[in-house]
PDB file of all heavy atoms in Angstrom:
ATOM      1  N   GLY A 183     119.543 -21.583 -63.205  1.00 97.00           N
ATOM      2  CA  GLY A 183     118.893 -20.426 -62.590  1.00 97.00           C
ATOM      3  C   GLY A 183     119.588 -20.242 -61.170  1.00 97.00           C
ATOM      4  O   GLY A 183     120.567 -20.929 -60.792  1.00 97.00           O
ATOM      5  N   PRO A 184     119.070 -19.278 -60.400  1.00 96.00           N
ATOM      6  CA  PRO A 184     119.603 -18.988 -59.145  1.00 96.00           C
ATOM      7  C   PRO A 184     119.545 -20.291 -58.251  1.00 96.00           C
ATOM      8  O   PRO A 184     118.691 -21.095 -58.444  1.00 96.00           O
ATOM      9  CB  PRO A 184     118.581 -17.967 -58.543  1.00 96.00           C
ATOM     10  CG  PRO A 184     118.022 -17.271 -59.789  1.00 96.00           C
ATOM     11  CD  PRO A 184     118.023 -18.309 -60.880  1.00 96.00           C
ATOM     12  N   HIS A 185     120.479 -20.397 -57.346  1.00 94.00           N
ATOM     13  CA  HIS A 185     120.624 -21.469 -56.416  1.00 94.00           C
ATOM     14  C   HIS A 185     121.047 -22.806 -57.043  1.00 94.00           C
ATOM     15  O   HIS A 185     121.022 -23.879 -56.560  1.00 94.00           O
ATOM     16  CB  HIS A 185     119.294 -21.762 -55.664  1.00 94.00           C
ATOM     17  CG  HIS A 185     118.664 -20.600 -54.953  1.00 94.00           C
ATOM     18  ND1 HIS A 185     119.194 -20.275 -53.671  1.00 94.00           N
ATOM     19  CD2 HIS A 185     117.757 -19.753 -55.297  1.00 94.00           C
ATOM     20  CE1 HIS A 185     118.476 -19.216 -53.270  1.00 94.00           C
ATOM     21  NE2 HIS A 185     117.596 -18.848 -54.224  1.00 94.00           N
ATOM     22  N   ASP A 186     121.627 -22.626 -58.307  1.00 93.00           N
ATOM     23  CA  ASP A 186     122.177 -23.769 -58.947  1.00 93.00           C
ATOM     24  C   ASP A 186     123.455 -24.260 -58.419  1.00 93.00           C
ATOM     25  O   ASP A 186     123.999 -23.560 -57.377  1.00 93.00           O
ATOM     26  CB  ASP A 186     122.431 -23.453 -60.458  1.00 93.00           C
ATOM     27  CG  ASP A 186     122.317 -24.617 -61.398  1.00 93.00           C
ATOM     28  OD1 ASP A 186     122.522 -25.700 -60.934  1.00 93.00           O
ATOM     29  OD2 ASP A 186     122.110 -24.389 -62.621  1.00 93.00           O
ATOM     30  N   ASN A 187     123.969 -25.358 -58.727  1.00 90.00           N
ATOM     31  CA  ASN A 187     125.342 -25.802 -58.330  1.00 90.00           C
ATOM     32  C   ASN A 187     126.316 -25.381 -59.444  1.00 90.00           C
ATOM     33  O   ASN A 187     126.274 -25.868 -60.541  1.00 90.00           O
ATOM     34  CB  ASN A 187     125.303 -27.377 -58.212  1.00 90.00           C
ATOM     35  CG  ASN A 187     126.644 -27.769 -57.560  1.00 90.00           C
ATOM     36  OD1 ASN A 187     127.669 -27.124 -57.705  1.00 90.00           O
ATOM     37  ND2 ASN A 187     126.613 -28.954 -56.952  1.00 90.00           N
ATOM     38  N   PHE A 188     127.165 -24.453 -59.137  1.00 92.00           N
ATOM     39  CA  PHE A 188     128.092 -23.825 -60.131  1.00 92.00           C
ATOM     40  C   PHE A 188     129.465 -24.544 -60.135  1.00 92.00           C
ATOM     41  O   PHE A 188     130.480 -23.984 -60.201  1.00 92.00           O
ATOM     42  CB  PHE A 188     128.209 -22.305 -59.774  1.00 92.00           C
ATOM     43  CG  PHE A 188     127.030 -21.571 -59.979  1.00 92.00           C
ATOM     44  CD1 PHE A 188     125.957 -21.512 -59.033  1.00 92.00           C
ATOM     45  CD2 PHE A 188     126.706 -20.884 -61.202  1.00 92.00           C
ATOM     46  CE1 PHE A 188     124.864 -20.775 -59.220  1.00 92.00           C
ATOM     47  CE2 PHE A 188     125.545 -20.126 -61.401  1.00 92.00           C
ATOM     48  CZ  PHE A 188     124.579 -20.159 -60.391  1.00 92.00           C
ATOM     49  N   ASP A 189     129.300 -25.856 -60.162  1.00 86.00           N
ATOM     50  CA  ASP A 189     130.498 -26.816 -60.271  1.00 86.00           C
ATOM     51  C   ASP A 189     131.076 -26.672 -61.689  1.00 86.00           C
ATOM     52  O   ASP A 189     130.364 -26.772 -62.713  1.00 86.00           O
ATOM     53  CB  ASP A 189     130.048 -28.158 -59.904  1.00 86.00           C
ATOM     54  CG  ASP A 189     131.074 -29.188 -60.137  1.00 86.00           C
ATOM     55  OD1 ASP A 189     132.275 -28.860 -60.279  1.00 86.00           O
ATOM     56  OD2 ASP A 189     130.817 -30.401 -59.892  1.00 86.00           O
ATOM     57  N   ARG A 200     130.450 -19.596 -63.870  1.00 96.00           N
ATOM     58  CA  ARG A 200     131.536 -19.530 -62.864  1.00 96.00           C
ATOM     59  C   ARG A 200     132.823 -19.260 -63.535  1.00 96.00           C
ATOM     60  O   ARG A 200     133.654 -18.494 -63.089  1.00 96.00           O
ATOM     61  CB  ARG A 200     131.626 -20.905 -62.108  1.00 96.00           C
ATOM     62  CG  ARG A 200     132.710 -20.871 -60.967  1.00 96.00           C
ATOM     63  CD  ARG A 200     132.610 -21.910 -60.046  1.00 96.00           C
ATOM     64  NE  ARG A 200     133.889 -22.130 -59.449  1.00 96.00           N
ATOM     65  CZ  ARG A 200     134.296 -23.293 -58.893  1.00 96.00           C
ATOM     66  NH1 ARG A 200     133.470 -24.326 -58.953  1.00 96.00           N
ATOM     67  NH2 ARG A 200     135.472 -23.376 -58.307  1.00 96.00           N
ATOM     68  N   TRP A 318     122.457 -13.112 -59.941  1.00 97.00           N
ATOM     69  CA  TRP A 318     122.323 -13.880 -58.668  1.00 97.00           C
ATOM     70  C   TRP A 318     123.609 -14.369 -58.245  1.00 97.00           C
ATOM     71  O   TRP A 318     124.087 -14.321 -57.080  1.00 97.00           O
ATOM     72  CB  TRP A 318     121.256 -15.075 -58.867  1.00 97.00           C
ATOM     73  CG  TRP A 318     121.062 -15.717 -57.482  1.00 97.00           C
ATOM     74  CD1 TRP A 318     120.128 -15.409 -56.516  1.00 97.00           C
ATOM     75  CD2 TRP A 318     121.824 -16.850 -56.943  1.00 97.00           C
ATOM     76  NE1 TRP A 318     120.250 -16.278 -55.433  1.00 97.00           N
ATOM     77  CE2 TRP A 318     121.347 -17.153 -55.755  1.00 97.00           C
ATOM     78  CE3 TRP A 318     122.867 -17.647 -57.480  1.00 97.00           C
ATOM     79  CZ2 TRP A 318     121.802 -18.184 -54.943  1.00 97.00           C
ATOM     80  CZ3 TRP A 318     123.399 -18.605 -56.648  1.00 97.00           C
ATOM     81  CH2 TRP A 318     122.890 -18.899 -55.391  1.00 97.00           C
ATOM     82  N   TYR A 319     124.399 -14.973 -59.167  1.00 97.00           N
ATOM     83  CA  TYR A 319     125.668 -15.451 -58.929  1.00 97.00           C
ATOM     84  C   TYR A 319     126.742 -14.399 -58.332  1.00 97.00           C
ATOM     85  O   TYR A 319     127.452 -14.580 -57.460  1.00 97.00           O
ATOM     86  CB  TYR A 319     126.349 -16.187 -60.063  1.00 97.00           C
ATOM     87  CG  TYR A 319     127.591 -16.986 -59.654  1.00 97.00           C
ATOM     88  CD1 TYR A 319     127.647 -18.095 -58.870  1.00 97.00           C
ATOM     89  CD2 TYR A 319     128.945 -16.501 -60.180  1.00 97.00           C
ATOM     90  CE1 TYR A 319     128.850 -18.726 -58.631  1.00 97.00           C
ATOM     91  CE2 TYR A 319     130.062 -17.058 -59.827  1.00 97.00           C
ATOM     92  CZ  TYR A 319     130.065 -18.203 -59.072  1.00 97.00           C
ATOM     93  OH  TYR A 319     131.127 -18.836 -58.653  1.00 97.00           O
ATOM     94  N   VAL A 320     126.654 -13.271 -59.027  1.00 96.00           N
ATOM     95  CA  VAL A 320     127.554 -12.158 -58.627  1.00 96.00           C
ATOM     96  C   VAL A 320     127.237 -11.712 -57.171  1.00 96.00           C
ATOM     97  O   VAL A 320     128.134 -11.563 -56.382  1.00 96.00           O
ATOM     98  CB  VAL A 320     127.316 -10.893 -59.677  1.00 96.00           C
ATOM     99  CG1 VAL A 320     127.988  -9.714 -59.039  1.00 96.00           C
ATOM    100  CG2 VAL A 320     128.017 -11.256 -61.012  1.00 96.00           C
ATOM    101  N   ASP A 321     125.918 -11.679 -56.853  1.00 96.00           N
ATOM    102  CA  ASP A 321     125.461 -11.253 -55.527  1.00 96.00           C
ATOM    103  C   ASP A 321     125.704 -12.352 -54.549  1.00 96.00           C
ATOM    104  O   ASP A 321     125.851 -12.002 -53.302  1.00 96.00           O
ATOM    105  CB  ASP A 321     124.013 -10.856 -55.532  1.00 96.00           C
ATOM    106  CG  ASP A 321     123.707  -9.672 -56.457  1.00 96.00           C
ATOM    107  OD1 ASP A 321     124.614  -8.961 -56.727  1.00 96.00           O
ATOM    108  OD2 ASP A 321     122.539  -9.560 -56.889  1.00 96.00           O
ATOM    109  N   ASN A 322     125.760 -13.610 -54.933  1.00 95.00           N
ATOM    110  CA  ASN A 322     125.783 -14.686 -53.927  1.00 95.00           C
ATOM    111  C   ASN A 322     126.959 -15.637 -54.102  1.00 95.00           C
ATOM    112  O   ASN A 322     126.918 -16.790 -53.629  1.00 95.00           O
ATOM    113  CB  ASN A 322     124.474 -15.455 -54.053  1.00 95.00           C
ATOM    114  CG  ASN A 322     123.268 -14.712 -53.724  1.00 95.00           C
ATOM    115  OD1 ASN A 322     122.901 -14.481 -52.547  1.00 95.00           O
ATOM    116  ND2 ASN A 322     122.561 -14.171 -54.761  1.00 95.00           N
ATOM    117  N   HIS A 323     127.961 -15.269 -54.937  1.00 91.00           N
ATOM    118  CA  HIS A 323     129.015 -16.290 -55.289  1.00 91.00           C
ATOM    119  C   HIS A 323     129.756 -16.881 -53.991  1.00 91.00           C
ATOM    120  O   HIS A 323     130.138 -17.967 -54.016  1.00 91.00           O
ATOM    121  CB  HIS A 323     130.096 -15.668 -56.236  1.00 91.00           C
ATOM    122  CG  HIS A 323     130.916 -14.703 -55.470  1.00 91.00           C
ATOM    123  ND1 HIS A 323     130.609 -13.351 -55.327  1.00 91.00           N
ATOM    124  CD2 HIS A 323     132.154 -14.753 -54.942  1.00 91.00           C
ATOM    125  CE1 HIS A 323     131.490 -12.637 -54.738  1.00 91.00           C
ATOM    126  NE2 HIS A 323     132.449 -13.511 -54.412  1.00 91.00           N
ATOM    127  N   HIS A 324     129.694 -16.047 -52.868  1.00 90.00           N
ATOM    128  CA  HIS A 324     130.409 -16.573 -51.647  1.00 90.00           C
ATOM    129  C   HIS A 324     129.577 -17.669 -50.998  1.00 90.00           C
ATOM    130  O   HIS A 324     130.115 -18.444 -50.243  1.00 90.00           O
ATOM    131  CB  HIS A 324     130.596 -15.358 -50.738  1.00 90.00           C
ATOM    132  CG  HIS A 324     129.392 -14.563 -50.458  1.00 90.00           C
ATOM    133  ND1 HIS A 324     128.696 -13.866 -51.431  1.00 90.00           N
ATOM    134  CD2 HIS A 324     128.576 -14.437 -49.258  1.00 90.00           C
ATOM    135  CE1 HIS A 324     127.580 -13.319 -50.851  1.00 90.00           C
ATOM    136  NE2 HIS A 324     127.537 -13.640 -49.628  1.00 90.00           N
ATOM    137  N   VAL A 325     128.325 -17.735 -51.279  1.00 88.00           N
ATOM    138  CA  VAL A 325     127.461 -18.850 -50.677  1.00 88.00           C
ATOM    139  C   VAL A 325     126.941 -19.870 -51.688  1.00 88.00           C
ATOM    140  O   VAL A 325     126.422 -20.895 -51.292  1.00 88.00           O
ATOM    141  CB  VAL A 325     126.275 -18.205 -49.920  1.00 88.00           C
ATOM    142  CG1 VAL A 325     126.692 -17.489 -48.697  1.00 88.00           C
ATOM    143  CG2 VAL A 325     125.447 -17.358 -50.759  1.00 88.00           C
ATOM    144  N   ALA A 326     127.199 -19.565 -52.956  1.00 88.00           N
ATOM    145  CA  ALA A 326     126.674 -20.493 -54.016  1.00 88.00           C
ATOM    146  C   ALA A 326     127.353 -21.838 -53.927  1.00 88.00           C
ATOM    147  O   ALA A 326     128.563 -21.837 -53.586  1.00 88.00           O
ATOM    148  CB  ALA A 326     126.885 -19.805 -55.445  1.00 88.00           C
ATOM    149  N   ARG A 327     126.631 -22.846 -54.234  1.00 85.00           N
ATOM    150  CA  ARG A 327     127.171 -24.185 -54.233  1.00 85.00           C
ATOM    151  C   ARG A 327     128.083 -24.303 -55.490  1.00 85.00           C
ATOM    152  O   ARG A 327     127.829 -23.893 -56.550  1.00 85.00           O
ATOM    153  CB  ARG A 327     126.019 -25.275 -54.467  1.00 85.00           C
ATOM    154  CG  ARG A 327     125.153 -25.388 -53.247  1.00 85.00           C
ATOM    155  CD  ARG A 327     124.119 -26.561 -53.457  1.00 85.00           C
ATOM    156  NE  ARG A 327     123.181 -26.136 -54.527  1.00 85.00           N
ATOM    157  CZ  ARG A 327     122.495 -27.036 -55.224  1.00 85.00           C
ATOM    158  NH1 ARG A 327     122.629 -28.322 -54.993  1.00 85.00           N
ATOM    159  NH2 ARG A 327     121.628 -26.650 -56.201  1.00 85.00           N
ATOM    160  N   LYS A 328     129.244 -24.826 -55.195  1.00 81.00           N
ATOM    161  CA  LYS A 328     130.324 -25.021 -56.319  1.00 81.00           C
ATOM    162  C   LYS A 328     130.813 -26.316 -56.299  1.00 81.00           C
ATOM    163  O   LYS A 328     130.931 -26.960 -55.377  1.00 81.00           O
ATOM    164  CB  LYS A 328     131.473 -23.984 -56.132  1.00 81.00           C
ATOM    165  CG  LYS A 328     130.923 -22.514 -56.106  1.00 81.00           C
ATOM    166  CD  LYS A 328     132.105 -21.656 -55.984  1.00 81.00           C
ATOM    167  CE  LYS A 328     131.785 -20.226 -55.783  1.00 81.00           C
ATOM    168  NZ  LYS A 328     131.249 -19.833 -54.421  1.00 81.00           N
TER     169      LYS A 328
END
Side-chain angles (χ1 to χ4, degrees):
H185 304 280
D186 208 336
N187 188 335
F188 293 82
D189 177 4
R200 183 169 159 203
W318 184 88
Y319 185 72
V320 168
D321 296 340
N322 297 278
H323 71 275
H324 52 295
V325 291
R327 291 181 297 156
K328 299 183 188 76

